[in-house]
Each structure stands twice: as C-alpha cells, then as structure tokens.
C-alpha cells in the first residue's frame, strides 16, 4: 500500500480494530465522514449517523446506524451488551 501512496496506520502491540477505534474516536465530531472496511462485529459500536459507516467487503453491504437497527434492532451503544449476552466463539 505504501508503494502506491496509500497511508498505512498502525501501532505495534495493538490489533487493527483498536487502531480503527482510536482513529474514529480522535476524528469524531471533526466533521470528517469516516468509512472503514471490516467484518468485525465489535466495530459496529463506532457507527454514527452521517459520520461513521462500516463497509463489509465480503457481503458488499454498507452498514450504517439505520442498517444496524433494521437488521438487528439495536443502536451502536447496544452492540457490546448484545455481543456479551450472545457470546462469541471468536472472542471466547
């Protein structure tokens, strides 16, 4: 990616989802519209109306707060509680 001019952001010792969350947190409220590409269910908690969207490249679906509510009946603030109650074999 660096060879074609795409910025690569990371931090040693941190997973990609942690870096994505830190970037979203830092830019939230700046007026910057963010869209990240991931399939990580935990990241749905970062969604924000008109500001933060998630794109699932495997299913070609853009996930917004409205899509999350239509699909699962929850808001971004309820994602972690929902996952904790459901359990997740990936996260043990």
């Amino acid at each position: 990616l660096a060879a074609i001019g795409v910025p690569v952001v990371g931090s040693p010792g941190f997973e990609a989802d942690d870096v994505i969350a830190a970037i979203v947190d830092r830019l939230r409220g700046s007026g910057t519209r963010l869209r990240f590409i991931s399939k990580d269910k935990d990241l749905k908690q970062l969604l924000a109306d008109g500001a933060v969207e998630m794109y699932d490249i495997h299913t070609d679906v853009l996930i917004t707060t409205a899509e999350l509510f239509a699909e699962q009946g929850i808001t971004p603030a309820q994602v972690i509680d929902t996952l904790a109650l459901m359990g997740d074999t990936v996260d043990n």
Side-chain angles (χ1 to χ4, degrees):
L1 290 173
I4 60 171
V6 176
V8 177
V9 180
S11 185
F14 292 91
E15 294 181 9
D17 58 343
D18 297 325
V19 175
I20 291 168
I23 292 169
V24 169
D25 187 55
R26 179 168 287 183
L27 294 175
R28 188 182 306 273
S30 70
T32 303
R33 188 171 175 190
L34 304 168
R35 180 179 294 171
F36 55 88
I37 300 170
S38 180
K39 196 165 182 65
D40 190 329
K41 298 179 299 254
D42 296 342
L43 291 175
K44 291 179 181 177
Q45 67 184 304
L46 301 174
L47 299 174
D49 284 331
V52 183
E53 304 168 334
M54 180 173 167
Y55 179 72
D56 183 339
I57 196 167
H58 298 284
T59 59
D60 194 30
V61 172
L62 179 63
I63 304 165
T64 62
T65 55
E67 173 72 21
L68 177 65
F69 192 80
E71 180 91 10
Q72 295 181 290
I74 61 173
T75 66
Q78 296 169 312
V79 168
I80 294 302
D81 291 335
T82 302
L83 293 175
L85 291 169
M86 289 174 28
D88 190 349
T89 55
V90 173
D91 290 335
N92 292 322

